[in-house]
Each structure stands twice: as structure tokens, then as C-alpha cells.
Amino acid sequence: MSTSFGLLLGFVADRVLGDPRRFHPVAGFGRTATRLESRLYADSRAAGTAYTTVLVGTTALAGVAVEWLTRERPVVHTLVTAAATWTVLGARSLEREAETMAGFLEAKDIPAARDRLSYLCARDATTLESDELARATVESIAENTSDACVAPLVWGGVFGVPGLLAYRAANTLDAMVGYRSPRYENFGWASARLDDLVNLLPARVCAVLTGVVSGRWSEARRVWKRDAAQHPSPNAGPVEAAFAGALGLSLGGTNSYGSYSEDRGTLGDGPTPTVADVRRTAVLARRVGIAAAGAAAILAVARGRLWD
């Protein structure tokens, strides 16, 4: 039960406090990863695999050590689980970014919205106008609801603190080296593939929860099953398609990322997003997060009973 209580307490801490303002452990992990990259980097998959294995493996082992050291101290275990959950979640910060983008777009401050979009995604916003900025924001909220909220909660429910920490390590490395560029095409391959793997289950959990909490399960499921495969990501596709169905929107299109463009197909049947849809999406994402916290707590209880 201590894992379950810890997950819920950590989720509440994220909702109330958001990310730690200073000395964020994820930022510390990122600095460590950058230093190790400077030592291990080579334009090869082997070097990138070693880099990913060391960082994610070490983080997972640290989580195992925490679990072992607190296994007979339920109060302490609850608190460290809560701290780990708060550290790895980013749901409240995501919602704040959505609110900021909505404010800029509602005020028709397009230059500010273009600048701020980089906090949500890597799209080239130089020429984007209001509706395209709204679409980029809606799609980013959907994808990041899975990555920053549902996925860590799922793995925390299944594996406890090691699951929380290892997932965040893998996801952080994907953001750092897992994207397409001449430097990371080979070195970042292992990080990108690992992130795809660890998000396979959570992305589909997120898609299911999106349909359920929206009250539009049939439509979300229909769009997910029909359109998700058009998206180049095996995990963002189901999530964005489910959000499109749940919100009655059409998402997708061709996105520019500076050095390359990506065709994400068309997800959904409704109109393309407008400024008003940004806040609607943030509300749906919040509901999905609450449902995910409850599901993770149930998973943790089931896991505890299985091992008892």
C-alpha cells in the first residue's frame, strides 16, 4: 500500500507545486548525461547503446536500492515514492505552458506565442500563425500528457520507484539525443528505440483513458483505430488520434523541425484546432492525469498483493 499512497501523494504534489524550481533532479541527470556524452560519443550505434545502458541502468539500480532500503519502513517508503513521483511528473508544468500559450493566442500576441512554443515542442514556429500555433499546442499537450504524466505513473504502479526513475531517464535521453540530426542519427538510436519501447503500453493506456474521461469513448476509439498508423510515431499516433476523437477535432499535417519535415497524416474528422481548443485540451489532459493516478494506485496495490 505504501507505493500506492506514495504515487497519489506525489501526484498531488505535482498538481499543487509543479516542477521543483531549483535543483531539479531531472536537470541534474541531464547534466550528468551531457558530461558522459562528451566522453563516450562516437558516430555509432554501439557507443550510443553503451551510453543509454549506463545511464538508464544506473538510474534503475538506484531505484532498486531505494526500494530495498525502505522495504520494511512503510512511512519512509511512502515518502520516497512520493518524492520520486513528484520529481518525474510534469503534468502541472505542461498545463501551465498550455495556459501561457492560450493567453498569448487569445491576446493575439503571435510573436510571443511563437517564442513560447519551444517550451512544448521542437517545431519551427517562425512562420506559424494563430491556428497553426493552436494545433501545435494541442498536439503537444496530447503527446506530453502520455510522456510526462501517464507513462511514469504506469511504470511506477508496475515497478515502484525503479519504474519511475528508469522511465524518466529513458525519456530524458530521448529528448536529448533521440532525434534526427547528423550528430545523433546513430548515437541516439538506442535512446530513441528504448523510449519507443517503454512508451508502447502507457501510450495505449493514455488513449483509453482519454476516451473514457472525455465521455466520447466510441469516437476516440474509432479515430485511434483508423488514423493512428498515419502518424510516424508508434506511440504519439494513438494518443493524438484519441485526443482528436475525444475533442471532435482534426490533428496532424506536415510539421517543420528546421532541418527536416514530417508528415503526420490526418487524425480525426472535425475542424482543425483554433485558439479556444487549447484550454479544452488542457482540461481533458488534466482529467486523463487524474484517471492515470488512480489506475497507477490500483496497479501498485495489485502488484503488492501478487508479491505478498
Side-chain angles (χ1 to χ4, degrees), residues 76-299:
V76 175
H77 184 259
T78 296
L79 293 176
V80 297
T81 302
T85 304
W86 175 42
T87 296
V88 304
L89 290 183
R92 181 64 182 119
S93 294
L94 176 63
E95 187 174 328
R96 286 172 177 164
E97 288 304 321
E99 292 166 351
T100 299
M101 283 294 293
F104 286 143
L105 292 172
E106 288 162 357
K108 296 181 171 36
D109 191 344
I110 302 304
R114 287 171 177 166
D115 288 342
R116 193 69 183 190
L117 186 64
S118 63
Y119 286 69
L120 284 169
C121 64
R123 283 188 61 179
D124 181 1
T126 306
T127 62
L128 298 185
E129 297 298 334
S130 179
D131 284 356
E132 276 297 294
L133 288 164
R135 176 172 76 84
T137 302
V138 168
E139 291 172 352
S140 297
I141 295 169
E143 183 175 357
N144 285 303
T145 296
S146 181
D147 290 354
C149 183
V150 177
L153 287 169
V154 166
W155 292 124
V158 174
F159 294 116
V161 174
L164 290 164
L165 300 185
Y167 173 78
R168 181 50 62 207
N171 189 246
T172 301
L173 291 183
D174 178 62
M176 293 179 67
V177 304
Y179 50 89
R180 296 178 185 175
S181 73
R183 178 176 176 83
Y184 294 126
E185 186 72 28
N186 290 312
F187 185 77
W189 175 84
S191 291
R193 298 292 75 76
L194 178 61
D195 186 71
D196 285 343
L197 179 63
V198 298
N199 278 294
L200 279 174
L201 173 63
R204 284 142 187 87
V205 171
C206 184
V208 169
L209 294 177
T210 298
V212 171
V213 303
S214 69
R216 289 171 56 90
W217 163 247
S218 295
E219 189 64 13
R221 181 180 183 277
R222 183 183 67 83
V223 175
W224 167 16
K225 296 300 182 183
R226 188 193 68 191
D227 296 340
Q230 297 183 55
H231 198 293
S233 168
N235 299 318
V239 173
E240 291 185 26
F243 265 75
L247 293 165
L249 298 173
S250 287
L251 302 178
T254 300
N255 296 345
S256 174
Y257 295 91
S259 61
Y260 71 97
S261 294
E262 184 176 81
D263 182 1
R264 295 190 168 192
T266 300
L267 315 176
D269 301 309
T272 56
T274 61
V275 174
D277 294 310
V278 173
R279 294 193 189 275
R280 288 179 61 220
T281 307
V283 169
L284 177 57
R286 185 191 314 145
R287 293 173 179 169
V288 171
I290 293 169
I298 293 170
L299 276 173

Side-chain angles (χ1 to χ4, degrees), residues 28-29 32-33 36 40 49-67 161-170 173 194:
F29 174 85
T32 300
L36 185 63
L40 292 184
T49 300
Y51 167 82
T52 302
T53 300
V54 168
L55 286 166
V56 177
T58 301
T59 304
L61 287 174
V64 170
V66 167
E67 289 277 359
V161 174
L164 290 164
L165 300 185
Y167 173 78
R168 181 50 62 207
L173 291 183
L194 178 61

